[in-house]
Amino acid sequence: MSEQTLSNLMHEDRRFEPPAGLAADANVKEEAYARADSDREAFWASAAERLDWGQKWDQVLDWSNPPFAKWFVGGTINASVNCVDRHVDAGNGDKVALHWIGEPEDDTRDITYAQLKDEVSKAANALTGLGVQKGDRVAIYMPMIPEVVVAMLACARIGAPHTVVFGGFSADALASRITDCGAKVVITADGGYRRGAPSALKPAVDEAVTKLEDDELASKVLVVRRTGQDVDWDDDRDVWWHEAVDNASADHEPELHDAEHPLFVMYTSGSTGKPKGILHTTGGYLTGTSFTHWEVFDLKDDDVYWCTADVGWITGHSYMVYGPLANGATQVMFEGTPEKGRWWQIVQDYKVTLFYTAPTAIRTFMKQGREIPDAYDMSSLRLLGSVGEPINPEAYVWYREVIGGDRCPVVDTWWQTETGQIMISPLPGVTAGKPGSAMKALPGIAADVVDDDAQSVGNGNGGYLVLKEPWPAMLRTLWGDDERFKDTYWSRWKGLYFAGDGAKLDDDGDIWLLGRVDDVMNVSGHRLSTTEIESALVSHPKVAEAAVVGAADETTGQAVCAFVILRDSAGDGGEDIVEELRKHVAKEIGAIAKPRQIMVVAELPKTRSGKIMRRLLKDVAEDREVGDVTTLADSTVMDLIKSKSSGSS
Ligand code: PRX
């Protein structure tokens, strides 16, 4: 975003006051900010008290060895008991937990909390039967079907940390995650439905297994039959879910785990090639996600909540599985992708009240035109959320007016895989929303915008977004790599967590997120690393060198643009080289990482010390006048690239 656009944005003077009814009856009111400021730990302790604990904690926060935090020290808790058993015990067993909607029309299932408890208990028994013990890791590679929720909660129940790998990732990506976290068992399905057709998953697991070097890894693969398509079968390794789980007992006595027991590892892209295994633990994570879900979405007993994220991302973990289920919410879970009208049909049919999605989806719907949503009755909606990337004011206002009937507040929620919970957001009953701004840190969260010397920039200025105090759902470390954890997040300024985002404070002190300042791209709200895609490209035998940039894209926020130099032996690579390389990236990482555009070039712009100047490549990709080239070793390189780009795909 240019300075000019930004300053125009920050003079946004539209304000949307909270609806009076919502404000009067809000779960969290203005006083919460002062209460949290006066005693942050007491504030989070009261949030933790919303959950069921075995042993209560002796200490709220142990920050004696920063940046390694321990929350609710000495407490014991079971996440799955909090997400299912306690609602059944409280007499809410008949309440619907999941209105599951499959992609094929009319393929639906309503699952109550009592049914979910039985399924989770059976799956926990089945996993134990397969030899999974407390502390063992389990990889989950599944479509959006209820069994994925059951699988996650069953792992949590027995204390086996899960690592969910998004179904769109490749066999290679799956194998590297299984290896990095040492997963003993994989849970998958024969396939899922995508855009009306079955799409296989099991073959990717079979291929991943062949790449593992240790026999202990993925020694059992539990397979849900979803599509009924043919699968290869290894009698020693593969087990059908419907045989192992359906025949298991629905009685399972849960063990209480330490508050700091690992709950899951979620891999995400960093600014270097290797994905980072973000570790979340139990008590603090569940406190942070359940409290903020109740606070930011103002959840009431009779709400129908729908978060459209895939469970393979952190949003699916925090705001589809753990937060909402710990709160006993009724929610919609949809297997499909956004097709014209289908989402709004679901809102109408299920009378959805709280809706949470990403700006990229909103921008796609804007392009399709308001006639499509206008054809549905969406009067049940009372609050809308946005996550994953900056929401531009036009998209915000369209969302509010067209989807929200001009009555629903929009909460623009900033957070990350690492933060686990929402950190910056309006409070729907308190804050007058400003289109484009995520507003303020939530009560109990300390955020600031600082300059290179870690000084607060003050209102009206831009800098780096930092977090100044620990929070319950914060990542505890990177799986198996404490040093990288310290280096990545805590080494830039002493005592401050560096999020990797640029931000500005407007004249009222409200926060505007400006996107990443590191080598991380945000494509349709998904995080991708430039270096990881560059590594994938240079692993192709025809590629000598590659540089990747995230270029602005109207719909997806950013798009992957690659510049490659081919090896001499590849000649000009042939006509299909671009498609060949795009496919190669999909194979190495997954279809989501496929470059939108690949330009074959003779040179890359480098400084005298050999560093690629991506800033200049971004200018080319965004079709702008190329910026200052004086630090280039050879300033004619850009002319060459520019002339090439005008004729390239
Ligand atoms: O750059 C920020 C952007 O997404 C990054 C985190 O990505 P990930 O870990 O995949 O989690 C996405 C879902 C929580 C952040 O560093 N981001 C997330 N939410 C917003 C955002 N940027 C602007 N506004 C947001 N509301």
Side-chain angles (χ1 to χ4, degrees):
M1 210 180 288
S2 72
E3 277 298 306
Q4 186 54 48
T5 329
L6 183 68
S7 78
N8 290 346
L9 280 182
M10 288 177 47
H11 290 115
E12 171 65 64
D13 50 17
R14 286 171 286 192
R15 296 287 180 280
F16 297 104
E17 294 292 335
L22 198 159
D25 197 25
N27 289 346
V28 176
K29 303 229 166 82
E30 177 132 35
E31 61 76 35
Y33 291 104
R35 184 157 48 88
D37 280 349
S38 72
D39 190 341
R40 190 180 309 275
E41 290 184 20
F43 179 83
W44 287 119
S46 74
E49 273 157 13
R50 300 178 62 251
L51 298 172
D52 278 2
W53 294 77
Q55 188 74 36
K56 202 174 162 191
W57 56 89
D58 317 308
Q59 191 183 0
V60 176
L61 168 67
D62 176 358
W63 191 233
S64 58
N65 180 29
F68 300 98
K70 289 190 186 138
W71 281 88
F72 308 113
V73 184
T76 59
I77 186 164
N78 186 298
S80 99
V81 169
N82 274 281
C83 289
V84 283
D85 305 43
R86 72 166 176 149
H87 309 310
V88 179
D89 296 345
N92 293 324
D94 292 338
K95 184 171 179 182
V96 172
L98 297 174
H99 287 297
W100 178 77
I101 301 158
E103 204 201 54
E105 303 260 355
D106 302 327
D107 187 3
T108 61
R109 279 158 70 186
D110 282 350
I111 298 167
T112 65
Y113 274 97
Q115 289 166 331
L116 190 59
K117 176 180 177 227
D118 285 352
E119 290 306 308
V120 170
S121 301
K122 286 182 185 181
N125 282 322
L127 286 173
T128 306
L130 291 178
V132 180
Q133 293 176 359
K134 179 167 176 172
D136 288 344
R137 275 80 61 204
V138 174
I140 298 179
Y141 186 65
M142 291 172 83
M144 284 283 282
I145 53 178
E147 287 81 355
V148 72
V149 178
V150 172
M152 290 165 75
L153 293 177
C155 287
R157 195 169 187 92
I158 62 176
H162 54 71
T163 188
V164 181
V165 180
F166 174 58
F169 277 124
S170 66
D172 284 6
L174 175 62
S176 73
R177 286 155 171 78
I178 293 174
T179 304
D180 191 78
C181 75
K184 196 166 163 179
V185 166
V186 179
I187 310 179
T188 188
D190 48 0
Y193 286 92
R194 284 196 88 73
R195 298 179 212 288
S199 156
L201 275 176
K202 172 84 169 35
V205 178
D206 295 343
E207 192 188 333
V209 167
T210 64
K211 297 173 194 285
L212 304 174
E213 281 166 14
D214 180 346
D215 289 346
E216 290 281 293
L217 298 177
S219 58
K220 291 286 173 201
V221 175
L222 187 57
V223 189
V224 176
R225 185 182 275 155
R226 162 75 186 123
T227 57
Q229 60 204 122
D230 282 342
V231 287
D232 286 344
W233 203 253
D234 174 335
D235 284 332
D236 292 330
R237 188 174 34 106
D238 298 333
V239 181
W240 281 116
W241 173 284
H242 57 260
E243 287 171 4
V245 176
D246 293 0
N247 295 326
S249 159
D251 287 323
H252 183 273
E253 194 54 50
E255 184 186 334
L256 289 158
H257 305 297
D258 189 88
E260 283 297 333
H261 187 71
L263 182 62
F264 66 87
V265 179
M266 170 104 252
Y267 285 87
T268 188
S269 296
S271 48
T272 58
K274 191 170 165 265
K276 300 178 291 197
I278 308 293
L279 174 67
H280 284 290
T281 60
T282 310
Y285 175 80
L286 208 60
T287 298
T289 54
S290 61
F291 180 76
T292 50
H293 178 254
W294 176 79
E295 168 187 49
V296 173
F297 297 99
D298 192 47
L299 181 79
K300 301 287 197 266
D301 253 4
D302 52 358
D303 271 316
V304 179
Y305 165 82
W306 182 15
C307 164
T308 65
D310 190 282
V311 72
W313 307 102
I314 193 68
T315 309
H317 281 51
S318 300
Y319 296 105
M320 198 195 87
V321 179
Y322 290 107
L325 294 178
N327 287 333
T330 291
Q331 61 179 325
V332 164
M333 175 178 183
F334 179 45
E335 185 185 25
T337 42
E339 283 152 55
K340 291 186 184 167
R342 183 89 192 266
W343 276 13
W344 317 128
Q345 177 84 50
I346 293 172
V347 168
Q348 174 179 292
D349 291 353
Y350 288 85
K351 303 208 172 359
V352 173
T353 57
L354 312 172
F355 184 69
Y356 194 27
T357 196
T360 187
I362 300 164
R363 290 191 297 263
T364 307
F365 295 129
M366 278 174 81
K367 270 209 262 180
Q368 293 169 354
R370 68 173 296 160
E371 313 74 67
I372 299 174
D374 278 351
Y376 298 90
D377 174 5
M378 295 198 279
S379 56
S380 56
L381 287 171
R382 66 178 194 93
L383 188 148
L384 304 172
S386 171
V387 61
E389 33 169 343
I391 179 163
N392 44 309
E394 286 60 41
Y396 177 113
V397 169
W398 190 91
Y399 192 28
R400 203 192 130 89
E401 279 178 14
V402 178
I403 306 304
D406 221 2
R407 57 175 198 280
C408 305
V410 173
V411 288
D412 174 12
T413 64
W414 178 90
W415 58 294
Q416 309 178 294
T417 307
E418 291 85 344
T419 68
Q421 64 183 79
I422 298 172
M423 305 294 280
I424 302 174
S425 165
L427 280 181
V430 177
T431 318
K434 239 182 229 182
S437 169
M439 306 304 286
K440 289 198 187 325
L442 288 174
I445 299 298
D448 200 359
V449 180
V450 300
D451 62 18
D452 284 315
D453 302 320
Q455 299 303 309
S456 292
V457 294
N459 292 359
N461 299 302
Y464 306 103
L465 181 68
V466 294
L467 301 168
K468 301 196 297 189
E469 298 286 345
W471 62 99
M474 67 195 282
L475 78 168
R476 297 303 194 257
T477 188
L478 296 181
W479 184 259
D481 205 343
D482 288 348
E483 280 311 306
R484 192 175 174 205
F485 167 62
K486 287 198 270 187
D487 279 2
T488 311
Y489 305 103
W490 304 92
S491 62
R492 192 150 172 171
W493 302 289
K494 197 170 173 345
L496 296 180
Y497 170 92
F498 174 43
D501 280 43
K504 272 209 173 192
L505 294 177
D506 67 14
D507 293 338
D508 304 323
D510 292 324
I511 302 173
W512 294 70
L513 277 313
L514 304 180
R516 304 288 303 196
V517 294
D518 54 11
D519 293 330
V520 171
M521 291 171 289
N522 192 325
V523 179
S524 301
H526 297 149
R527 233 163 111 166
L528 297 170
S529 141
T530 53
T531 347
E532 198 182 350
I533 302 177
E534 286 166 4
S535 310
L537 284 165
V538 293
S539 74
H540 189 282
K542 289 185 185 162
V543 176
E545 238 187 301
V548 166
V549 296
D553 183 284
E554 243 186 45
T555 309
T556 59
Q558 285 189 307
V560 181
C561 290
F563 296 79
V564 296
I565 303 179
L566 297 179
R567 287 181 190 281
D568 288 346
S569 55
D572 68 357
E575 289 214 331
D576 301 328
I577 185 71
V578 167
E579 207 33 50
E580 190 176 327
L581 295 180
R582 293 181 76 232
K583 281 204 184 117
H584 180 71
V585 173
K587 185 186 160 297
E588 291 287 308
I589 304 174
I592 45 164
K594 262 191 193 176
R596 179 189 71 183
Q597 192 178 22
I598 296 182
M599 295 184 216
V600 177
V601 293
E603 294 285 349
L604 288 171
K606 290 188 184 155
T607 59
R608 283 172 199 98
S609 60
K611 199 168 174 282
I612 295 174
M613 292 190 69
R614 292 199 179 76
R615 168 173 67 76
L616 299 177
L617 293 174
K618 210 167 158 159
D619 289 341
V620 175
E622 291 178 353
D623 210 10
R624 255 200 315 269
E625 199 56 40
V626 173
D628 184 6
V629 295
T630 48
T631 51
L632 281 182
D634 173 0
S635 59
T636 62
V637 166
M638 286 318 294
D639 299 333
L640 251 164
I641 295 178
K642 283 275 317 173
S643 66
K644 183 82 198 195
S645 76
S646 38
S648 133
S649 64

